[in-house]
Amino acid sequence: FELDQRNSITYTYDVAWAESGIRWASRWDNYLMMTGGQIHWFSILNSLMIMLFLSGMVAMILLRTLHRDITKYNELASAEEAAEETGWKLVHGDVFRKPRHSKILAVSIGSGVQILGMSVVTLLFALFGLISPAHRGVLLQCVLLLYTFMGIAAGYITARLYKMFNGVDWKQTTLLCAFFYPGIF
């Protein structure tokens, strides 16, 4: 087959349907049965130890850097050295000031908390076996109910964050959290 002689390639596929004797309601039984399943404890423990080790290394690096900066700031003796600010003192004003669009930031974080909470609780329900794929519509119902109930946490997080930015119209921001992203999609 030479590609220079032809301009197009035709792809085809074939499907052969065979009727099965398995009922629709019990089609997941083979996948949900945990017969002979072994839990790989060594792999789980190994992953946990690597995660703790790497987190500890990052924490040590951050602590050493901050300790060095704080020690350097405390050792400034003369007025000339005090006038030359370096390191964290240069970004202090930028880090601790109010964001330009604090209302939209608070609404975005609140909506993210809502979706994250809904996802985590749904996965926990599925992990504990409260949601079964054999029952149609249970997953969708669980997601919709949890999204609705997590709106309480989203509104609270949005209002607290907006108040932390010294915002005054926190009620409007909470309503914006309820209607902004769900209204777009």
Side-chain angles (χ1 to χ4, degrees):
F1 187 80
E2 294 189 22
L3 292 177
D4 295 337
Q5 296 175 357
R6 299 176 188 255
N7 293 340
S8 64
I9 298 174
T10 305
Y11 293 99
T12 63
Y13 66 94
D14 224 0
V15 177
W17 298 98
E19 188 172 343
S20 173
I22 300 172
R23 290 187 355 224
W24 177 260
S26 61
R27 69 190 186 281
W28 284 94
D29 289 348
N30 288 339
Y31 303 109
L32 296 176
M33 296 285 179
M34 291 292 293
T35 58
Q38 294 179 357
I39 298 175
H40 299 278
W41 290 109
F42 180 73
S43 298
I44 294 171
L45 186 64
N46 189 23
S47 299
L48 183 66
M49 293 305 291
I50 289 174
M51 182 194 67
L52 289 174
F53 177 71
L54 292 176
S55 299
M57 285 181 55
V58 169
M60 290 300 295
I61 292 170
L62 286 175
L63 284 174
R64 291 171 100 191
T65 305
L66 287 174
H67 182 67
R68 189 177 11 182
D69 283 349
I70 291 171
T71 304
K72 187 167 61 171
Y73 295 145
N74 289 337
E75 291 176 355
L76 292 176
S78 67
E80 295 175 39
E81 291 176 347
E84 295 179 16
E85 295 181 347
T86 59
W88 284 97
K89 285 188 177 182
L90 285 176
V91 296
H92 178 270
D94 291 333
V95 170
F96 295 112
R97 76 171 171 194
K98 177 182 173 181
R100 191 178 316 156
H101 301 289
S102 60
K103 187 179 285 190
I104 299 298
L105 177 65
V107 167
S108 298
I109 291 174
S111 296
V113 165
Q114 182 177 11
I115 292 173
L116 180 69
M118 174 205 64
S119 302
V120 167
V121 173
T122 302
L123 287 174
L124 285 175
F125 281 173
L127 180 70
F128 292 131
L130 300 173
I131 298 174
S132 174
H135 300 101
R136 299 181 69 181
V138 172
L139 179 65
L140 180 63
Q141 183 180 7
C142 179
V143 165
L144 289 176
L145 283 174
L146 284 173
Y147 184 79
T148 304
F149 289 134
M150 288 296 166
I152 297 168
Y156 176 75
I157 296 290
T158 300
R160 286 296 283 176
L161 192 61
Y162 190 63
K163 281 185 174 183
M164 190 177 76
F165 295 144
N166 296 326
V168 291
D169 52 347
W170 62 272
K171 292 179 183 177
Q172 180 186 10
T173 307
T174 305
L175 284 175
L176 192 62
C177 178
F179 296 117
F180 186 65
Y181 284 111
I184 291 175
F185 300 111

